[in-house]
Amino acid sequence: MRIDKFLWSIRFYKTRSIAAEEIKKNRVSMGTSAVKSSKEVKEGDIIKIRKNQIDYKIKVIQIPKSRIGAKLVPLHIQDVTDKEQYELLKLRKMSQDYYRNKGEGRPTKKDRREMDEYVGNDITSDFTDWDDFFGENDDDEENED
């Protein structure tokens, strides 16, 4: 089976075309050399994949006939990625949360409604007319001429 089809069938990439693009960008390799999309995958091969700034390593146990369900993936591949790579991923996710916690930033529609309810409509109820708000009267304009 072609490597781009294999990576798609084990659900490593969402589409086969995305898998082919990643292979063209030299993010997939076998051994020390990068591979082409047409490279045939055999049982026992170890594939190195660079995804989300992490180097994954998977060992091919069995080649599926077509795209398989997520629960069946462990029957076809074995994850031999270093634990350090997963720790890097965990640290990156934590550092992203540090700068912006959930709920901070621009208020949502619900937040805005809650703020309006809390503040109330005191400002709009006091002033019914813009001329009254700015203190302008029609009499003042006539006297200026």
Side-chain angles (χ1 to χ4, degrees):
M1 178 182 284
R2 293 171 52 109
I3 192 163
D4 59 345
K5 188 173 182 180
F6 177 77
L7 292 174
W8 166 76
S9 66
I10 62 165
R11 298 182 172 270
F12 212 87
Y13 292 108
K14 191 173 183 177
T15 64
R16 188 171 169 185
S17 60
I18 293 172
E21 286 176 24
E22 295 296 307
I23 292 169
K24 281 183 185 177
K25 293 177 183 176
N26 294 333
R27 294 184 180 153
V28 178
S29 61
M30 291 177 114
T32 57
S33 61
V35 295
K36 292 184 177 181
S37 296
S38 60
K39 175 75 174 169
E40 289 291 319
V41 179
K42 300 172 191 150
E43 294 177 3
D45 287 344
I46 295 179
I47 303 170
K48 297 176 187 173
I49 305 161
R50 179 96 172 143
K51 184 178 178 185
N52 297 332
Q53 299 178 345
I54 292 181
D55 296 324
Y56 294 97
K57 288 183 186 177
I58 58 172
K59 183 178 181 181
V60 180
I61 298 173
Q62 187 178 5
I63 297 176
K65 293 180 182 176
S66 63
R67 189 165 167 98
I68 57 173
K71 291 182 179 179
L72 300 176
V73 170
L75 299 174
H76 297 277
I77 63 166
Q78 179 183 5
D79 188 12
V80 290
T81 307
D82 297 331
K83 292 180 182 178
E84 300 159 358
Q85 296 295 325
Y86 287 115
E87 290 174 9
L88 280 172
L89 179 64
K90 192 175 182 182
L91 286 172
R92 286 193 181 110
K93 284 185 179 181
M94 288 175 60
S95 66
Q96 289 174 348
D97 292 342
Y98 173 75
Y99 292 109
R100 184 177 183 278
N101 291 327
K102 189 174 183 180
E104 290 183 0
R106 186 174 175 178
T108 62
K109 197 172 191 179
K110 182 181 177 186
D111 293 337
R112 182 189 54 81
R113 288 182 182 146
E114 288 175 355
M115 286 188 289
D116 287 346
E117 186 179 312
Y118 177 75
V119 172
N121 294 330
D122 296 338
I123 297 171
T124 56
S125 63
D126 291 345
F127 302 102
T128 55
D129 189 19
W130 282 106
D131 293 334
D132 292 340
F133 177 74
F134 289 110
E136 296 177 4
N137 292 328
D138 292 334
D139 298 334
D140 293 338
E141 291 176 7
E142 292 174 6
N143 292 339
E144 290 178 10
D145 290 330

